[in-house]
Amino acid sequence: MIHAAVEILLAEDNPSDVELTLRTLKRSNLLNTVHVARDGEEALDFLFCRGPHAGRDFAAPKVVLLDLKLPKVDGIEVLEAIRADERTRLLPVVILTSSREQADVTSSYKLGVNSYIQKPVDFEQFQETIRQLGLYWLVVNQPPSEG
Amino acid sequence: MLVSAAALVLASGAFTAYTWLTFRAAMVEQLSVQARIIAFNSASALLFNDPVSAQKTLGALGASPSIVDAAIYDNGGGVFARYWRGRKSLIKAFPQISKSQTEAHWYTHGELSLARRIEPQGKPLGVVLIRCELGELTTRLEGYAAITAAVLAACLGAAVLISAGVHRSVSVPVIRLAETARLVSRDKNYSLRAAATGSRDELDFLIQSFNGMLEEIQQRDASLQKAHDELERRVEERTGLLHAANKELEAFSYSVSHDLRAPLRHISGFSKILAEENRDQLNADGRHYLARIEEGARNMGRLVDDLLSMGRISRQEVVRRPADLNLLWQEAWERLQPEFEGRKIEWRIGALPAAECDPGLIKLVFTNLLSNAVKYTRRRECAVIEAGQITVDGEDVIFVRDNGAGFDQKYAHKLFGVFQRLHREEDFEGAGVGLATVQRIIHKHGGRIWAEGKVECGAAFFFTLVPRKPSRPKPANSVSS
Ligand SMILES: Nc1ncnc2c1ncn2[C@@H]1O[C@H](COP(=O)(O)OP(=O)(O)O)[C@@H](O)[C@H]1O
Ligand SMILES: [Mg+2]
């Protein structure tokens, strides 16, 4: 299956965070359908089938895990673009970030983020959080039906 | 002006009335004298029934041009003799004089009549009646009235002239001065000036003093404004700098919050993975070191979090509103409940006051003090934690006291420094940021905080929420070298 539908789009620039997140997802048996975008621009290109992803048929993932501090286009801007597009207006987006600045939390919720999760320093907590996230958005939650 | 006119009119009215009255009295007196003379001269004529001689006596009245006619009646009421001027006398009726009087007078149609008994040595012989016209009186009265009117007019004219003069030279400048004063106080325009009168009188002096005062006020106003502007400019400048510094600090803590925590997470994460996946390749020492690495990362994570929250609180504005401290304490207590669940603690909580404060921040104060009290009484079989309000030197002081590990009073001043701890990490974990945060909050409220402690006996923390009222001045520092 080369073109298995992508279920999780992970937008994260830090390689260590990517590695730790992927490992956790793998441990939770959720790895097979993750696409990693290393900056905001790539994340949007992937989502909307532009640039290097021009050939892809549009198919929204089940959830986007979005870091706030991303090169080129930051997380808030990515979220804005997602909410502005009719096709992805209802796409579940989870902000996953180191920041616990109130300003970030507020602007994320204003833009209609589905959850805002601060990555815990403690790895066990981190693992647990990621596992819960994956389970909730991929297994428990029914994706919004396309209208 | 009106008043003086009224006074003049009244005075001349009174004068005219007075003249009229005295004239009438004089007329009556004059007639009376003539009646008496006639009565005297005609007594014998009546006695001897000699009308011709009586007629003659009456004829003497021709000397008085105002006398219209006169008559002498005998006792029977018949006309004994008569005199008249011009047209025929109208006298017909015998004049009635009341019994008690010898003489009577009355007025009719601009004429005055006077009757007098003729009774030499008390023996009544008849009555003499004289009538005179009041034309003379009227003429003289008119003369007087004319004079009075002329005087009145002259006086009024003079009054009008004088008051106009006063109006021009006093009232107008005073009114203008008052108007200027009104405008100045309404518009706060100190560049206005009252117009000078040009004359060198007291009024001009007053106006000049007033203008001088305005000049002075204007100058002071200008220098005050200048000082104010300068101050404003400086405040703006400083505020700008402060804002810039604050922005920088915010950016700094933002990036700390993002960037410092990430590597910590990686250290923690990878050492965890190492411990999990390569457990067998590691000996006991290796596993111990790994555990240390993890612990270090965790501690640093907590430190970063504490520092960030303290920085946030330091930058936060105190927003005062009325709050019930009992409620804030209660909320802090409930939030910390998981920390002391299962422990035996005796709570002695007195009534706390209502206060104007930032409720969120004061709750944080209570949370920190309470969390310390709970933490440092951990080794007590039965912990006692008290809170309440006392009055010290007239100041309301809130306190939190416990019977825990306490501290050496010698180091009490160090408690509130960032990262300053008086206990070892092995005994009581902590970062040493809590009390520093508490002190910042209290200082932002203008209050003070201090602590008392004794090793293994307990600790007490006291704070106020408002600046101390200025009382006796502090003695100057007397330490000399
Ligand atoms: N209730 C208390 N009893 C004894 N010591 C205390 C108490 N509260 C604070 N301290 C001392 O003050 C120090 C600073 O307190 P704090 O700033 O809250 O830091 P932390 O509690 O994280 O150590 C503590 O390390 C402790 O030594
Ligand atoms: Mg503490």
Side-chain angles (χ1 to χ4, degrees), chain B residues 167-392:
Chain B
H167 185 67
R168 202 172 340 98
S169 66
V170 180
S171 298
V172 169
V174 166
I175 287 168
R176 270 199 224 129
L177 187 66
E179 175 65 11
T180 311
R182 196 181 65 77
L183 284 179
V184 165
S185 80
R186 191 193 65 191
D187 303 338
K188 305 277 171 282
N189 179 1
Y190 300 112
S191 62
L192 290 176
R193 292 291 177 268
T197 57
S199 55
R200 311 176 115 264
D201 52 10
E202 294 90 335
L203 200 66
D204 196 54
F205 183 68
L206 174 70
I207 288 170
Q208 253 149 37
S209 308
F210 180 74
N211 285 344
M213 189 182 76
L214 280 181
E215 178 81 35
E216 188 136 317
I217 292 178
Q218 192 183 9
Q219 271 169 17
R220 288 216 195 149
D221 211 43
S223 56
L224 212 67
Q225 186 63 42
K226 217 174 117 198
H228 179 262
D229 288 349
E230 173 67 17
L231 212 66
E232 195 104 294
R233 195 185 58 69
R234 254 191 260 170
V235 166
E236 222 160 82
E237 197 179 287
R238 294 284 150 84
T239 314
L241 286 177
L242 211 69
H243 269 301
N246 239 345
K247 269 261 136 39
E248 220 160 276
L249 211 70
E250 240 160 77
F252 172 75
S253 69
Y254 184 82
S255 84
V256 164
S257 133
H258 268 281
D259 303 340
L260 219 56
R261 289 165 52 92
L264 280 175
R265 205 169 48 245
H266 304 151
I267 294 169
S268 158
F270 288 114
S271 51
K272 222 359 168 302
I273 294 169
L274 191 64
E276 258 176 48
E277 296 187 352
N278 304 70
R279 177 159 285 276
D280 302 341
Q281 282 115 296
L282 288 170
N283 60 13
D285 277 354
R287 284 197 291 277
H288 170 77
Y289 296 142
L290 260 184
R292 282 272 158 281
I293 291 172
E294 267 177 62
E295 198 183 301
R298 207 170 28 241
N299 280 347
M300 188 164 167
R302 198 178 60 200
L303 270 177
V304 169
D305 284 352
D306 284 357
L307 267 184
L308 283 176
S309 81
M310 190 177 77
R312 212 173 10 248
I313 287 158
S314 301
R315 274 177 279 133
Q316 195 173 324
E317 292 267 340
V318 168
V319 184
R320 282 181 188 268
R321 53 195 161 86
D324 181 0
L325 295 189
N326 295 296
L327 224 70
L328 299 181
W329 170 272
Q330 186 62 28
E331 283 170 15
W333 190 89
E334 274 160 19
R335 197 164 114 196
L336 287 173
Q337 212 171 10
E339 283 186 24
F340 52 80
E341 214 148 60
R343 281 189 45 196
K344 196 167 167 231
I345 300 176
E346 185 185 330
W347 299 98
R348 296 181 191 161
I349 311 302
L352 293 170
E356 284 271 328
C357 64
D358 189 313
L361 291 179
I362 296 306
K363 187 157 91 189
L364 207 61
V365 167
F366 280 141
T367 309
N368 272 297
L369 294 180
L370 185 55
S371 129
N372 281 348
V374 166
K375 176 160 68 178
Y376 294 98
T377 53
R378 194 160 56 203
R379 306 252 174 87
R380 287 283 173 269
E381 188 65 28
C382 180
V384 178
I385 297 178
E386 295 172 70
Q389 188 199 19
I390 49 172
T391 308
V392 182

Side-chain angles (χ1 to χ4, degrees), chain A residues 62-96:
Chain A
K62 283 190 175 168
V63 64
V64 178
L65 303 184
L66 189 60
D67 187 18
L68 277 187
K69 256 190 123 185
L70 288 171
K72 298 185 191 169
V73 182
D74 72 26
I76 294 286
E77 290 170 312
V78 172
L79 178 59
E80 255 169 344
I82 290 175
R83 288 291 173 253
D85 193 292
E86 197 48 46
R87 291 169 294 177
T88 51
R89 200 166 47 86
L90 298 171
L91 177 61
V93 176
V94 176
I95 300 273
L96 200 58

Side-chain angles (χ1 to χ4, degrees), chain B residues 39-69:
Chain B
F40 182 78
N41 288 340
S42 60
S44 46
L46 272 170
L47 197 63
F48 300 108
N49 197 11
D50 177 8
V52 178
S53 132
Q55 192 81 35
K56 236 188 238 158
T57 307
L58 278 181
L61 288 174
S64 281
S66 65
I67 291 175
V68 184
D69 53 14

